[in-house]
Amino acid sequence: MGTSIFTEMTELARSTGAVNLGQGVPELPSPGALLKDVAEAVTSGSNQYPPAVGFPALREAVAAHQLRRYGLDYRPQGEVLITTGATEALASAVLALCDPGDEIIAFDPCYDAYAADARLAGARLVAVPLALDGADFVLDVDALRRAVSPRTRVLILNTPHNPTGKVFTADELAVIADVCTQHSLTVITDEVYEHLVYGDARHLTIASLPGMRERTLTISSAGKTFNVTGWKVGWICGPRPLVAAAGAAKQFLTYASGTPYQEALARALDTVDAWAGDLRGVLTRNRDLLSDGLTRAGLLPFHADAGYFLQADVRPWGYADGVEFCRDLPERAGVVAIPTSAFYVSADAPAWLVRFSFCKREESLRMAVDQLIKAQ
Ligand code: PMP
Ligand code: GLN
């Protein structure tokens, strides 16, 4: 496994002093009460291993969150597992569910951990490209049906989606659910951006579709919701046998982590709805500022209904290849972005797509936009 694109591009931003619109690392504040609660937990001595399955109050808060938001009822004991970020949740789930030679379906472009996790398990990631439709990415139903083979074991879904900002629609989820029930596939759904959905778009969770709860592991994390990506507290909800299998693998990845964070997050999750409403307001303004700025800089941004990122077609600047564009960009405009080809498993990626992140301070975005406009 090579160096991750996030490491490479963040290092490029550091060494050149460019504005970092590459890695999705937020420059935004976190809830004050949450920070205070962590400090208090640390100083009052909550510093030893938590239970391997996670601190009970956080498992209860996660279960209450799923019931309140999605009408999904999970037992805090046995159907909720706290993990070291969504990253460990994904690795545990894939290692638990896949044997060497199995196939995993994911939609291309996809988060880079999916292919790496497949490799760790000796499985093969079969990528189904999302189709480009104007400024949107849409499910290619025929390609999905063609991708299923007798070796397919798991489908990894990510909605809201990184890197595109796509929110899978009710119709798309219904088709995916149909394919998964027809072929007895287990779904791992990565929903770390579940609270960061803008405008009229609505996040739907596939576990709530008929026949899906029993075959779905739903993963989320505190990192994006509370702007605490360095804390690495995530979770999995699902039926008892699948959660137990992921928990068995998880024991030998980290065993457990983050006691004071887990303790404080249990309280924060109970009041997440008010916090997330404000954060969505900030991120909506940021998305619009960046999208408008990219257009004024002569690039062609796509729609993003959610998450941290915007895609742009960089061909109007004379680049057929986003990697070349991103290599030149720090020098040319003092900005770092990430070539979207880094998120494609299949060879036929649209090479001219580049990902820009907008989870930044307004002044960083304004500076980046001004510099891009001057550099065009
Ligand atoms: N999945 C997706 C789609 C992500 O964007 C991220 C954020 N890097 C992760 C998983 C990892 O989340 P965490 O930081 O909680 O491990
Ligand atoms: N999720 C973030 C991104 O996509 C950061 C990932 C990472 O640093 N591993 O940019």
Side-chain angles (χ1 to χ4, degrees), residues 107 130-131 133 136-141 144 157 159 166-179 204 206 209:
F107 298 104
L130 293 170
D133 177 17
D136 288 304
F137 291 80
V138 297
L139 177 68
D140 180 342
V141 176
L144 171 60
L157 174 67
T159 185
K166 171 184 175 57
V167 178
F168 280 73
T169 63
D171 287 349
E172 289 174 328
L173 293 181
V175 170
I176 295 168
D178 183 48
V179 169
L204 301 169
I206 197 163
L209 269 58

Side-chain angles (χ1 to χ4, degrees), residues 88 91-97 243-255:
E88 190 194 42
S92 306
V94 169
L95 288 168
L97 298 174
V243 170
K250 181 231 163 16
Q251 295 176 99
F252 301 106
L253 295 174
T254 62
Y255 186 75

